[in-house]
Amino acid sequence: MKLVVGIATAGRREQLTQTLFQLAKQTRLPDALVICPAEVSDYDPAVAGILPFPVLSVAAPRGSSSQRNAIIAACADADIMVFFDDDYYPNPDYLAEAEKLLQLQNIVVARGYLLADGIGGPGIEQEQALRLIADRKPLPPWDSAIKTTYGGYGCNMVIKMATVRQHGIRFDENLPLYGWQEDIDFSRALAAYGRVVICLRMTGVHLGTKRGRTSGLRFGYSQIANPVYLCKKGTMSPGYAGWMVLKNLLANILKSLWPEPWVDRRGRLKGNIRALGDLARGRMDPRRILCME
């Protein structure tokens, strides 16, 4: 099977380089790596010369959805696409396990088990991530390692490309910039044709690097607008969308009193309020963040 790794990146040149060095440690190397930087300066092409697999760089407008779609377009003959974030460190056997997984059952999307996720905190330093990877517990047997889940997680997501091509499924570019929930939308579109799972044998660490993320105002707007949009589209259930909106709104209200230093809670709350106002006026649209600072 031809297995390709795709990485959409923005504003993290040094972090991307470190992630590529970790990718080179895979026991099953990718047949190719496709990188889509938001800006030319986001990727150091000199790194490609010291990696043990072919590297292709493609261009697209800034945005996780448009950049990932450009990667898909560049991989017409891939059997498996593995999307990694530019701050995700996979265990050395991740790709080997991913290849085995997609040969087992009618699985169209899979995400791995996170040994740690820095997205909800200040982030995880590289040394800590490497310790977690080195100290991983033995893998569970296959018969207990695969669990059905609602959607993939963009930081590490394995996709059966034949299904993507057959049904013309793409990431929704109406979810601009950081995208937020574009992985759920993509997964639920594919779920009509096979299983969406989490595999406990595919493991790694998501550093949750804060550099390169969208502003608090924009992200706060997306926290409301994107679930509502996907609910209307039909790729997110009303219950899931409502729970997500309420959870984030309450978190931003409560934590804006004593915000974490790594989160712009007040900016997010302002974005939440603006989105709710637009919803009440019937003009809410995820793309409105493109007009915000």
Side-chain angles (χ1 to χ4, degrees):
M1 302 182 80
K2 182 170 183 179
L3 187 155
V4 178
V5 171
I7 299 179
T9 186
R12 300 179 185 168
R13 181 184 175 103
E14 295 78 14
Q15 178 57 63
L16 174 64
T17 297
Q18 293 303 315
T19 298
L20 297 185
F21 290 154
Q22 296 304 315
L23 185 59
K25 299 177 181 179
Q26 290 292 298
T27 58
R28 194 284 192 211
L29 292 172
D31 296 299
L33 166 66
V34 182
I35 299 173
C36 186
E39 304 287 345
V40 173
S41 59
D42 291 334
Y43 163 60
D44 181 2
V47 177
I50 56 177
L51 294 174
F53 39 76
V55 180
L56 172 66
S57 177
V58 297
R62 177 184 293 270
S64 59
S65 290
S66 56
Q67 288 173 255
R68 285 177 174 159
N69 284 340
I71 292 171
I72 289 174
C75 301
D77 59 346
D79 298 300
I80 302 172
M81 170 65 70
V82 181
F83 279 109
F84 286 147
D85 272 4
D86 53 18
D87 60 346
Y88 178 82
Y89 287 2
N91 272 80
D93 56 2
Y94 186 106
L95 296 184
E97 298 297 325
E99 186 173 43
K100 293 175 188 175
L101 176 69
L102 262 66
Q103 293 172 336
L104 287 177
Q105 304 176 32
N106 183 28
I107 293 169
V108 291
V109 179
R111 62 183 176 96
Y113 174 74
L114 288 174
L115 301 174
D117 190 354
I119 200 68
I124 297 171
E125 296 297 327
Q126 175 169 298
E127 294 75 13
Q128 181 185 357
L130 296 179
R131 283 197 301 270
L132 289 165
I133 288 172
D135 295 341
R136 183 189 67 182
K137 295 178 181 178
L139 296 177
W142 277 107
D143 59 3
S144 62
I146 304 172
K147 316 246 180 225
T148 299
T149 190
Y150 188 72
Y153 186 9
C155 75
N156 76 114
M157 190 160 63
V158 180
I159 298 165
K160 184 178 180 180
M161 286 297 289
T163 308
V164 170
R165 285 192 292 268
Q166 181 180 354
H167 300 285
I169 296 171
R170 294 293 183 270
F171 289 92
D172 192 336
E173 296 185 22
N174 287 323
L175 306 176
L177 301 182
Y178 185 57
W180 206 64
Q181 302 304 309
E182 86 288 355
D183 45 8
I184 295 293
D185 173 64
F186 188 83
S187 300
R188 297 315 304 167
L190 280 169
Y193 310 105
R195 294 185 67 195
V196 179
V197 304
I198 178 171
C199 179
L200 305 182
R201 293 179 63 92
M202 303 182 329
T203 59
V205 177
H206 184 207
L207 275 64
T209 304
K210 304 310 174 197
R211 183 178 179 183
R213 299 209 173 266
T214 192
S215 72
L217 176 65
R218 285 172 163 172
F219 188 65
Y221 193 95
S222 297
Q223 284 182 315
I224 307 296
N226 291 14
V228 172
Y229 167 79
L230 295 179
C231 183
K232 291 179 179 178
K233 181 180 175 181
T235 53
M236 183 176 285
S237 69
Y240 191 92
W243 168 80
M244 184 168 291
V245 166
L246 184 61
K247 177 188 73 169
N248 287 307
L249 181 60
L250 289 176
N252 292 332
I253 290 172
L254 296 174
K255 294 183 180 181
S256 64
L257 300 175
W258 297 279
E260 311 95 319
W262 57 86
V263 179
D264 179 13
R265 287 290 175 186
R266 290 167 186 168
R268 290 186 183 186
L269 181 58
K270 185 177 179 180
N272 291 165
I273 294 169
R274 184 174 295 187
L276 290 171
D278 282 352
L279 178 62
R281 297 180 183 92
R283 66 180 191 184
M284 188 172 68
D285 187 319
R287 294 168 295 183
R288 286 179 66 84
I289 65 170
L290 296 172
C291 302
M292 301 176 188
E293 293 298 328

